[in-house]
């Protein structure tokens, strides 16, 4: 996202110290500014006062989508987007179970038979 929108403020949630250090170094090495690698988990971040303040949330290779999606919805601004990297079976299930988001048709991930990019837009105010 920073490559196509360099002025975008990005917060990367990564509770594992070594992974967080890598993310910080990658952003620094690429000359990216306004990138914060935060050690909190999503649950903690939700309690930090960021409710309704984010334009886009992305998630990849995370478990617990049943709890992640409702938390993400609370963090999104109205008309904000949640982007998930999921399996094709998960995509159908997620769209059916989470009506607080208006889901776009899943997009195939190039080079992958099973994975999809699922994008939902927050509908309520």
């Amino acid at each position: 996202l920073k490559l196509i929108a360099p002025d975008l403020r990005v917060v990367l949630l990564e509770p594992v110290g070594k992974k967080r250090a890598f993310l910080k170094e990658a952003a620094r090495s690429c000359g990216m500014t306004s990138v914060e690698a935060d050690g909190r988990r999503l649950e903690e971040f939700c309690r930090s006062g960021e409710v309704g303040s984010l334009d886009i949330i992305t998630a990849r290779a995370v478990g617990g989508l049943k709890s992640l999606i409702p938390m993400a919805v609370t963090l999104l601004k109205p008309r904000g987007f949640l982007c998930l990297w999921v399996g094709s079976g998960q995509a159908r299930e997620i769209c059916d179970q989470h009506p607080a988001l208006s889901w776009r048709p899943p997009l195939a991930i190039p080079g992958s038979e099973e994975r999809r990019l699922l994008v939902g837009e927050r509908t309520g105010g």
Side-chain angles (χ1 to χ4, degrees), residues 12-82:
L12 306 168
L13 298 181
E14 178 52 68
V16 178
K18 287 182 180 182
K19 293 178 184 179
R20 192 170 55 255
F22 170 79
L23 292 171
K24 286 179 182 179
E25 180 58 22
R28 188 197 64 74
S29 294
C30 293
M32 294 179 176
T33 59
S34 300
V35 176
E36 177 187 351
D38 190 311
R40 293 177 285 178
R41 295 187 173 278
L42 182 61
E43 298 84 357
E44 297 168 275
F45 192 75
C46 283
R47 293 189 292 264
S48 71
E50 297 281 345
V51 172
S53 66
L54 304 179
D55 294 307
I56 301 171
I57 297 174
T58 65
R60 181 192 166 278
V62 296
L65 287 175
K66 285 187 179 193
S67 61
L68 179 143
I69 294 171
M71 282 188 279
V73 169
T74 66
L75 293 170
L76 286 172
K77 291 179 180 177
R79 311 243 2 189
F81 294 96
L82 174 61

